């Protein structure tokens, strides 16, 4: 039989297509997307041989996010990774300085003997309050070191590994608790019932001996005469909450961050760094005083005095200076939001405060996101634009030195004083997050992966992307990311044009999108792109990575200035032929929700909107928000001081202009952006006849961290909404 040239050509083409199809990776599904593993902690052992890793992943059957600890051991076979704990409630691992133990906090349940007629606990995953546990790197059962109804806020090892210091709310006796319950029943005494923290010390040898003698002899909270851990000695007290407790390298001092007892940012003076000197008896208790209940160190002395919220404190190697970053505020004067910079404070300067604080690498315009103290100075991951690279610096007056490494995002790094090794998490758009181990800081690009818990994503056809720049209405250059649907963009080749576009706005506002991989309910650009959308992630004014001036230009135009930046970016993408003007959608959560709510009052070009936890007015939100410092700052004052600005920058007063079908979500217990804002938006749209839907997730706060089903349902329904009103068919 003779075959025509046309049929021969067709057969070759079909064979090529079949081969290409067979070799291609499958696209990511919704179920796969939400089975990602995130890394919360990476901690090198003191000798640099092992790494303890904290993970978080969804447990769909138990309807919780599991927090487990893993241990990587370097050996002659190239290393091995084992799961160290299995309760699903374990966080904050810290090596003892001698490397013999790993202490961690856990909300795991403790078993008590029950009466024969007692009912089974029907809520096994509710957990207890956070307590300190101990486990050997060799494995075995975890040993509880603290107990009671008061959660441990923070803990630290002593320099000699013989003592653990920990902080809880000032414990009450059983009589005090019974008296309070008798008088007040279930009434909440807001503010008046609050109390500060106590720092305790517990001797490790004595605690281990007690556990070995009677490991099952634990009293239930209802039977205990006090919430004080047996054998714990009082070191110091604070009228505020104690966070991030740290022991100096020489063991002579403790330092800690203070924060508000009610965990609301209302007074600047609640957030400072303190230090106290440890008497030798507190550092190394002798048998004669090991059983004493009180061993007061010096009174904590305040090291910082500023209008800022300090974070991530670390002792310098000299045991004199304390490094720290700033989340919001300014250490140099009146409150203003800057990017997270790196500072240290002299703990021995007589008038510790503004004059004792020094900023490192002042010439670096981006934020220092993570850092670790090394033998030679500091190793840090820091952002410039859409890339987060690794840098080193030896002295405060020096510039950050960029190290050779991969493109993408470095984060959660760990070093140790006795090894040159560096452990870190790295990801990029098409490279899922994993933990890596480098032999030294100058060999980052030769680091080897020591986890592969997200290997599934590397086997899928993930979207590619690139930075995109445009001019705002005032001529300012603004940057963002474009995430393309799989197959529509390859570096060095012409990209697809006239694509349906989803403008996906990051929260913060002091944050930025870039070259990193994320897979969760908050950052789901990869899933949106897989479902056919070109995802536009604008780093509008107010974003980090572009200098403090760029960040501050949203004051006091909290939504109108970023809104103009974003709309100019949409215009530019349409003009360049990249975005289809007839298929535009918009969305975001938290501050991204603020912006979404505002933008749908400014234009009708968006065919669909998905918004979550975003305010539509600022007076009620200022009163309910637990982070009020920046609310008043962004708007030029408190509500009665800037009435017109609170009105002009509020979407609710222009809501009658909205024509965009809008999907809304919120956590029922959210106080960061009170859930009443979601109800207010829904009611306004409902009264105007604008298509809308509202999902409320019970038990959730601002972050949907209680039940993984909530985040999965959120994104599932948002994708359906975009498909229904944006006109893009689902690819899954």
């Amino acid at each position: 039989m003779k075959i025509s040239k046309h049929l021969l050509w067709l057969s070759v083409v079909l064979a090529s297509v079949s081969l290409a199809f067979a070799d291609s990776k499958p696209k990511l599904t919704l179920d796969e997307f939400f089975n990602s593993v995130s890394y919360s902690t990476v901690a090198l052992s003191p000798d640099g041989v092992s790494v303890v890793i904290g993970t978080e992943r969804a447990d769909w059957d138990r309807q919780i996010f599991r927090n487990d600890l893993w241990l990587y051991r370097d050996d002659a076979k190239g290393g091995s990774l084992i799961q160290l704990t299995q309760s699903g409630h374990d966080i904050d691992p810290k090596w003892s300085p001698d490397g013999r133990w790993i202490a961690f906090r856990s909300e795991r349940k403790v078993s008590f003997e029950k009466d024969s007629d007692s009912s089974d606990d029907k809520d096994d995953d509710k957990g207890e309050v956070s307590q300190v546990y101990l486990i050997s790197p060799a494995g075995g059962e975890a040993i509880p070191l603290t107990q009671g109804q008061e959660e441990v806020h923070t803990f630290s090892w002593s320099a000699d590994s013989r003592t653990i210091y920990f902080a809880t709310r000032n414990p009450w006796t059983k009589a005090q608790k019974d008296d309070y319950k008798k008088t007040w029943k279930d009434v909440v005494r807001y503010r008046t019932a609050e109390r500060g923290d106590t720092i305790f010390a517990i001797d490790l040898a004595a605690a281990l001996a007690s556990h070995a003698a009677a490991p099952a002899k634990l009293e239930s909270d209802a039977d205990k005469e006090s919430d004080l851990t047996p054998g714990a000695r009082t070191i110091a007290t604070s009228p505020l909450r104690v966070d991030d407790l740290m022991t100096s390298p020489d063991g002579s001092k403790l330092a800690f961050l203070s924060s508000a007892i009610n965990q609301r940012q209302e007074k600047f003076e609640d957030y400072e760094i303190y230090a106290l000197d440890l008497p030798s008896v507190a550092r190394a208790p002798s048998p004669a005083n090991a059983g004493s209940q009180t061993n007061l160190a010096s009174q904590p002395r305040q090291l910082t005095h500023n209008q800022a919220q300090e974070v991530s404190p670390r002792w310098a190697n000299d045991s004199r200076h304390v490094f720290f970053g700033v989340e919001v505020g300014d250490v140099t004067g009146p409150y203003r939001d800057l990017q997270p910079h790196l500072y240290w404070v002299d703990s021995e300067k007589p008038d510790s405060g503004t004059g004792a604080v020094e900023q490192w690498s002042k010439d670096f315009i981006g934020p220092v996101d993570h850092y670790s103290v090394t033998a030679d100075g500091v190793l840090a991951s820091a952002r410039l634009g859409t890339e987060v690279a690794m840098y080193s610096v030896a002295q405060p007056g020096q510039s950050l030195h960029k190290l050779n490494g991969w493109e993408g995002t470095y984060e959660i790094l760990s070093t140790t004083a006795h090894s040159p090794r560096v452990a870190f998490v790295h990801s990029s758009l098409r490279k899922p997050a994993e933990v890596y181990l480098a032999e030294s800081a100058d060999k980052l690009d030769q680091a080897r992966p020591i986890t592969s818990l997200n290997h599934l994503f590397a086997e899928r056809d993930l979207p590619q992307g690139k930075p995109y720049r445009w001019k705002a209405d005032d001529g300012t250059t603004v940057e963002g990311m474009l995430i393309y649907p799989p197959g529509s963009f390859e570096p060095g080749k012409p990209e697809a044009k006239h694509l349906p576009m989803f403008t996906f706005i990051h929260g913060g506002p002091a944050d930025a999108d870039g070259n990193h991989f994320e897979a969760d309910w908050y950052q789901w650009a990869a899933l949106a792109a897989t479902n056919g959308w070109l995802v536009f992630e604008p780093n509008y004014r107010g974003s980090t990575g572009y200098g403090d001036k760029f960040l501050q230009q949203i004051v006091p135009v909290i939504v109108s200035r970023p809104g103009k930046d974003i709309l100019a970016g949409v215009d530019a993408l349409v003009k360049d032929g990249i975005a289809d003007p007839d298929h535009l959608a918009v969305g975001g959560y938290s501050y991204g929700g603020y912006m979404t709510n505002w933008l749908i009052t400014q234009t009708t070009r968006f065919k669909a909107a998905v918004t979550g936890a975003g305010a539509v007015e600022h007076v009620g939100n200022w009163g309910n928000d637990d982070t009020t410092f920046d609310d008043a700052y962004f708007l030029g004052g408190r509500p009665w001081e800037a009435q017109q600005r609170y009105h002009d920058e509020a979407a609710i007063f222009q809501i009658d202009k909205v024509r965009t079908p809008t999907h809304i979500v919120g956590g029922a217990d959210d106080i960061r952006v009170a859930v009443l804002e979601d109800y207010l938006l829904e009611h306004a749209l409902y009264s105007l006849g604008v298509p809308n839907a509202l999902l409320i997730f019970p038990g959730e706060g601002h972050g949907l961290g209680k039940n993984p089903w909530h985040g999965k349902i959120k994104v599932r329904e948002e994708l359906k909404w975009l498909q229904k009103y944006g006109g893009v068919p689902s690819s899954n």
Side-chain angles (χ1 to χ4, degrees), residues 578-596:
I578 299 173
D580 181 351
D582 296 324
H583 293 88
L584 301 176
V586 66
Y589 190 90
S590 190
Y591 191 81
Y594 278 61
M595 290 308 310
T596 300

Side-chain angles (χ1 to χ4, degrees), residues 458-723:
E459 299 166 3
R460 295 295 179 264
D461 188 9
L462 298 179
Q464 294 217 45
K466 65 176 183 178
Y468 178 79
R469 296 179 181 87
W470 68 96
K471 293 288 187 180
D473 59 297
D474 62 356
T476 299
T477 299
V478 187
E479 185 178 49
M481 288 294 293
L482 293 180
I483 314 298
Y484 286 81
S488 62
F489 170 73
E490 289 290 338
K493 297 181 181 180
E495 66 265 25
K497 297 286 188 176
H498 210 60
L499 294 168
M501 188 173 77
F502 175 42
T503 299
F504 197 15
I505 308 168
H506 70 73
D511 200 353
D513 284 311
N515 187 7
H516 66 139
F517 183 84
E518 294 287 348
D520 57 36
W521 61 269
Y522 176 67
Q523 293 176 304
W524 46 279
L527 196 59
T530 299
N531 278 264
W533 291 93
L534 169 68
V535 181
F536 171 42
E537 298 178 321
N539 288 337
Y540 49 83
R541 257 166 288 190
S543 302
T544 58
Y546 303 94
D548 288 335
K549 181 180 178 181
F550 187 89
L551 181 117
Q552 292 176 295
Q553 285 178 0
I554 65 171
V555 179
V557 280
I558 185 174
V559 289
S560 59
R561 177 63 268 167
K564 293 175 183 176
D565 289 349
I566 295 169
L567 291 179
V570 173
D571 287 339
L573 286 160
V574 169
K575 183 179 179 181
D576 289 346
I578 299 173
D580 181 351
D582 296 324
H583 293 88
L584 301 176
V586 66
Y589 190 90
S590 190
Y591 191 81
Y594 278 61
M595 290 308 310
T596 300
N597 299 343
W598 174 259
L599 288 173
I600 59 176
T601 71
Q602 303 300 299
T603 179
T604 58
R605 74 182 70 183
F606 297 115
K607 307 304 180 185
V610 291
T611 182
V616 290
E617 58 78 50
H618 302 295
V619 177
N621 193 58
W622 174 85
N624 289 285
D625 192 353
D626 63 337
T627 59
T628 59
F629 294 165
D630 55 0
D631 285 333
Y633 167 74
F634 283 138
L635 287 160
R638 291 169 293 183
W640 54 92
E641 297 166 336
Q643 297 179 33
Q644 193 62 46
R645 188 65 63 184
Y646 275 70
H647 175 278
D648 293 347
E649 295 290 312
I652 191 64
F653 299 114
Q654 302 186 52
I655 209 75
D656 58 324
K657 301 176 184 176
V658 177
R659 301 292 181 269
T660 304
T662 303
H663 188 279
I664 312 162
V665 299
D669 298 336
D670 192 353
I671 58 173
R672 179 65 49 82
V673 179
V675 70
L676 65 88
E677 299 289 336
D678 303 307
Y679 283 109
L680 178 57
L681 175 59
E682 189 278 340
H683 184 65
L685 297 179
Y686 179 80
S687 70
L688 292 168
V690 177
N692 72 88
L694 172 61
L695 300 180
I696 299 296
F697 301 111
E700 298 285 8
H702 192 60
L704 306 184
K706 299 293 185 182
N707 186 337
W709 284 102
H710 293 159
K712 187 174 183 177
I713 291 170
K714 167 191 176 289
V715 175
R716 182 192 72 193
E717 296 306 307
E718 288 173 330
L719 283 170
K720 288 180 180 178
W721 192 267
L722 294 178
Q723 177 189 351

Side-chain angles (χ1 to χ4, degrees), residues 213-518:
K217 192 176 181 181
L218 291 172
E219 298 178 274
S220 70
D221 291 336
D223 298 329
K224 289 183 63 178
E225 288 300 319
S226 172
D227 281 325
L228 180 68
T229 295
R233 309 183 311 280
T234 299
I235 296 297
T237 60
S238 169
L240 297 166
R241 179 183 169 113
V242 172
D243 290 321
D244 288 305
L245 193 64
M246 308 169 298
T247 311
S248 61
D250 66 3
S252 66
K253 304 182 188 73
L254 285 177
F256 63 88
L257 290 178
S258 67
S259 64
I261 301 169
N262 64 3
Q263 294 296 275
R264 288 175 177 263
Q265 292 178 357
E266 296 177 312
K267 295 190 298 181
F268 298 120
E269 54 266 32
D270 289 346
Y271 298 87
E272 303 292 355
I273 298 176
Y274 290 80
L276 64 153
D277 296 322
L278 290 170
S280 58
V281 69
R283 301 198 297 270
S286 65
N289 60 44
S292 64
Q293 293 297 305
T294 301
N295 181 208
L296 288 175
S298 62
Q299 282 298 309
R301 61 184 182 277
Q302 188 173 335
L303 302 185
T304 58
H305 303 75
N306 54 51
Q307 296 188 5
Q309 182 184 3
E310 296 87 351
V311 293
S312 305
R314 304 281 188 275
W315 278 103
N317 292 323
D318 62 7
S319 293
R320 173 169 178 161
H321 291 87
V322 178
F323 287 101
F324 64 95
V326 168
E327 184 168 285
V328 294
D330 186 1
V331 303
T332 63
Y335 183 95
R336 57 177 182 152
D337 270 350
L338 305 177
Q339 297 179 106
H341 298 303
L342 182 64
Y343 305 87
W344 74 358
V345 60
D346 188 343
S347 68
E348 297 179 10
K349 196 162 185 175
D351 57 344
S352 291
T354 303
V357 173
E358 186 174 8
Q359 181 181 339
W360 281 54
S361 303
K362 291 183 179 181
D363 58 341
F364 189 78
I365 68 167
V368 175
D369 295 321
H370 301 270
Y371 76 95
S372 184
V373 179
T374 69
D376 301 321
V378 173
L379 195 65
S381 64
R383 174 181 292 277
L384 282 179
T386 58
E387 296 286 324
V388 180
M390 199 87 85
Y391 298 82
S392 65
V393 61
Q395 298 292 335
Q398 296 178 351
S399 299
L400 290 180
H401 169 66
K402 186 177 179 180
L403 301 171
N404 290 328
W406 306 312
E407 292 184 346
T409 296
Y410 288 87
E411 54 187 339
I412 317 180
L413 57 146
S414 177
T415 60
T416 183
H418 304 294
S419 170
R421 285 181 161 183
V422 182
F424 58 88
V425 175
H426 181 271
S427 74
S428 60
L429 285 175
R430 304 195 75 182
K431 182 180 175 183
E434 297 292 358
V435 182
Y436 294 82
L437 185 62
E439 292 304 312
S440 62
D442 59 357
K443 296 180 180 179
L444 294 178
D445 54 354
Q446 302 172 37
R448 64 184 189 275
I450 59 174
T451 64
S452 60
L453 300 180
N454 287 315
H455 65 89
L456 174 69
F457 293 92
E459 299 166 3
R460 295 295 179 264
D461 188 9
L462 298 179
Q464 294 217 45
K466 65 176 183 178
Y468 178 79
R469 296 179 181 87
W470 68 96
K471 293 288 187 180
D473 59 297
D474 62 356
T476 299
T477 299
V478 187
E479 185 178 49
M481 288 294 293
L482 293 180
I483 314 298
Y484 286 81
S488 62
F489 170 73
E490 289 290 338
K493 297 181 181 180
E495 66 265 25
K497 297 286 188 176
H498 210 60
L499 294 168
M501 188 173 77
F502 175 42
T503 299
F504 197 15
I505 308 168
H506 70 73
D511 200 353
D513 284 311
N515 187 7
H516 66 139
F517 183 84
E518 294 287 348

Side-chain angles (χ1 to χ4, degrees), residues 19-42:
L19 182 62
F21 181 79
D23 291 341
S24 66
K25 296 179 180 179
K27 291 183 178 179
L28 195 62
T29 68
L30 179 74
D31 289 341
E32 291 171 343
F33 184 82
F34 280 96
N35 279 325
S36 67
V37 176
S38 62
Y39 298 102
S40 57
T41 308
V42 175

Side-chain angles (χ1 to χ4, degrees), residues 25-329:
K25 296 179 180 179
K27 291 183 178 179
L28 195 62
T29 68
L30 179 74
D31 289 341
E32 291 171 343
F33 184 82
F34 280 96
N35 279 325
S36 67
V37 176
S38 62
Y39 298 102
S40 57
T41 308
V42 175
L44 266 172
S45 61
D47 60 6
V49 172
S50 300
V51 185
V52 63
I53 300 164
T55 63
E56 181 179 277
R57 62 180 175 85
D59 187 327
W60 302 107
D61 292 334
R62 294 167 65 185
Q63 300 187 42
I64 64 167
F65 285 100
R66 293 186 58 88
N67 288 279
D68 297 307
L69 302 182
W70 298 70
L71 184 70
Y72 172 82
R73 293 194 188 99
D74 213 356
D75 53 37
K77 297 180 180 180
S80 60
L81 182 69
I82 63 168
Q83 188 167 343
L84 190 62
T85 67
Q86 314 240 359
S87 81
H89 298 285
D90 307 325
I91 61 171
D92 195 19
K94 297 177 182 178
W95 289 93
S96 61
D98 61 12
R100 295 180 58 194
W101 297 98
I102 299 168
F104 61 94
R105 291 189 295 133
S106 180
E107 295 179 355
R108 59 177 62 193
K109 279 190 172 293
V110 178
S111 299
F112 302 102
E113 292 186 7
K114 296 183 179 181
D115 297 333
S116 58
D117 60 347
S118 64
S119 60
D120 292 333
D121 191 341
K122 297 181 180 180
D123 191 8
D124 290 336
D125 292 314
K126 183 179 179 182
E128 301 289 344
V129 296
S130 179
Q131 301 293 341
V132 179
Y133 287 76
L134 197 69
I135 194 168
S136 167
E141 291 296 321
I143 301 169
L145 291 184
T146 64
Q147 57 181 279
Q149 286 186 323
E150 297 298 340
E151 72 169 17
V152 173
H153 298 151
T154 179
F155 73 94
S156 178
W157 283 96
S158 64
D160 60 9
S161 303
R162 295 171 60 183
T163 304
I164 284 184
Y165 305 107
F166 65 96
T168 74
R169 189 170 64 164
N170 298 332
W172 272 359
T173 64
K174 186 175 184 297
Q176 287 175 305
K177 290 187 288 185
D178 289 345
D179 182 63
Y180 185 89
K181 185 175 181 180
K182 179 180 179 180
T183 303
W184 294 104
K185 309 302 182 187
D186 61 350
V187 175
V188 176
R189 300 176 66 212
Y190 186 61
R191 296 194 195 280
T192 55
E194 296 166 356
R195 59 187 193 269
D197 275 16
T198 298
I199 300 173
F200 297 99
I202 187 167
D203 177 50
L204 187 63
L208 292 174
S210 176
H211 180 79
K217 192 176 181 181
L218 291 172
E219 298 178 274
S220 70
D221 291 336
D223 298 329
K224 289 183 63 178
E225 288 300 319
S226 172
D227 281 325
L228 180 68
T229 295
R233 309 183 311 280
T234 299
I235 296 297
T237 60
S238 169
L240 297 166
R241 179 183 169 113
V242 172
D243 290 321
D244 288 305
L245 193 64
M246 308 169 298
T247 311
S248 61
D250 66 3
S252 66
K253 304 182 188 73
L254 285 177
F256 63 88
L257 290 178
S258 67
S259 64
I261 301 169
N262 64 3
Q263 294 296 275
R264 288 175 177 263
Q265 292 178 357
E266 296 177 312
K267 295 190 298 181
F268 298 120
E269 54 266 32
D270 289 346
Y271 298 87
E272 303 292 355
I273 298 176
Y274 290 80
L276 64 153
D277 296 322
L278 290 170
S280 58
V281 69
R283 301 198 297 270
S286 65
N289 60 44
S292 64
Q293 293 297 305
T294 301
N295 181 208
L296 288 175
S298 62
Q299 282 298 309
R301 61 184 182 277
Q302 188 173 335
L303 302 185
T304 58
H305 303 75
N306 54 51
Q307 296 188 5
Q309 182 184 3
E310 296 87 351
V311 293
S312 305
R314 304 281 188 275
W315 278 103
N317 292 323
D318 62 7
S319 293
R320 173 169 178 161
H321 291 87
V322 178
F323 287 101
F324 64 95
V326 168
E327 184 168 285
V328 294

